[in-house]
Amino acid sequence: AQSVTQPDIHITVSEGASLELRCNYSYGATPYLFWYVQSPGQGLQLLLKYFSGDTLVQGIKGFEAEFKRSQSSFNLRKPSVHWSDAAEYFCAVGMEYGNKLVFGAGTILRVKS
Amino acid sequence: EAGVTQFPSHSVIEKGQTVTLRCDPISGHDNLYWYRRVMGKEIKFLLHFVKESKQDESGMPNNRFLAERTGGTYSTLKVQPAELEDSGVYFCASSPLPGQGSEQYFGPGTRLTVT
């Protein structure tokens, strides 16, 4: 069955430090992968997505993610975290039929000054 | 352009009562999705509309849940009668395209608490 694993429930980083959020997926076909972010009181906002081609994907707000098929991973990175990045981050895979999304459990990012 | 809106933002009801959640997708988006996040768990798919037709309702937990999208515009999700385990955040999303990988635009969610 399709699944997405985000092994870190909470992560705390210092402002200005680098960030990597982990995501592993299980999907039998070509994965369509997404990272969404949810700030308090807001809906989920798409940060970036991967379909094919270059395995390093650039997104909004300075985020990037790297697709590694051999590791079934799609980790999210940012070189320098800002306090406004504090939010919950979700990794998801899009199903072939109908495009429903299967989400990971989410990672809550805290940024300390 | 207005985003996806959901009403109400919060709802607190007693077990056995009925609640109706509403979602207004982005204008022109034929695809509408409902998801639910129970506390501490993943966001899970409930169902998918294409215009007014249910394309996939494989995620609906049981027959206490009824979703409609009359006229292919806004959608409602009714829970009747509500149970304690129905508590959670209900998200609606819309998309202009049906294909795999198309971006879904999410609303802020409705937080439902059943006491």
Side-chain angles (χ1 to χ4, degrees):
Chain A
Q2 304 86 356
S3 65
V4 177
T5 302
Q6 293 179 249
D8 303 305
I9 298 174
H10 295 96
I11 281 186
T12 300
V13 299
S14 297
E15 191 169 15
S18 64
L19 170 70
E20 182 169 35
L21 302 182
R22 295 182 290 166
C23 172
N24 292 92
Y25 66 90
S26 173
Y27 186 62
T30 301
Y32 285 64
L33 297 162
F34 304 82
W35 275 99
Y36 281 87
V37 61
Q38 185 183 23
S39 299
Q42 306 294 315
L44 279 73
Q45 180 184 22
L46 182 67
L47 285 175
L48 48 78
K49 58 187 178 183
Y50 170 79
F51 296 158
S52 63
D54 193 348
T55 56
L56 186 62
V57 181
Q58 301 298 319
I60 62 171
K61 305 184 180 186
F63 285 92
E64 66 178 26
E66 185 172 12
F67 171 64
K68 293 185 177 180
R69 184 183 297 275
S70 62
Q71 299 178 20
S72 297
S73 69
F74 188 56
N75 294 349
L76 182 71
R77 302 194 294 245
K78 187 170 185 179
S80 178
V81 169
H82 187 262
W83 64 267
S84 61
D85 293 324
E88 190 162 17
Y89 292 79
F90 296 93
C91 182
V93 61
M95 298 292 103
E96 284 183 88
Y97 175 70
N99 195 34
K100 69 182 180 184
L101 298 175
V102 174
F103 285 90
T107 298
I108 297 172
L109 172 65
R110 298 193 178 107
V111 181
K112 59 182 181 181
S113 55
Chain B
E1 177 184 275
V4 176
T5 58
Q6 293 186 243
F7 182 83
S9 57
H10 294 84
S11 180
V12 181
I13 62 172
E14 294 183 351
K15 176 182 173 180
Q17 291 185 321
T18 297
V19 62
T20 300
L21 313 181
R22 173 171 171 145
C23 169
D24 286 80
I26 294 172
S27 177
H29 283 196
D30 288 340
N31 295 273
L32 188 148
Y33 303 81
W34 283 99
Y35 295 86
R36 176 175 75 169
R37 188 183 194 193
V38 173
M39 187 177 293
K41 302 287 188 179
E42 299 89 349
I43 300 170
K44 290 201 170 177
F45 168 82
L46 295 178
L47 87 159
H48 170 206
F49 283 100
V50 177
K51 298 185 180 179
E52 66 275 8
S53 299
K54 292 176 185 174
Q55 185 80 1
D56 180 357
E57 51 184 331
S58 62
M60 295 287 265
N62 52 61
N63 59 10
R64 295 185 294 103
F65 289 75
L66 175 63
E68 294 180 325
R69 193 182 182 196
T70 306
T73 54
Y74 71 91
S75 174
T76 58
L77 180 64
K78 180 189 287 187
V79 185
Q80 179 182 31
E83 298 289 345
L84 297 179
E85 64 264 25
D86 300 332
S87 295
V89 180
Y90 290 76
F91 293 102
C92 175
S94 71
S95 172
L97 301 171
Q100 185 184 16
S102 299
E103 179 175 353
Q104 294 182 26
Y105 298 81
F106 281 79
T110 293
R111 182 175 295 278
L112 174 64
T113 302
V114 183
T115 62

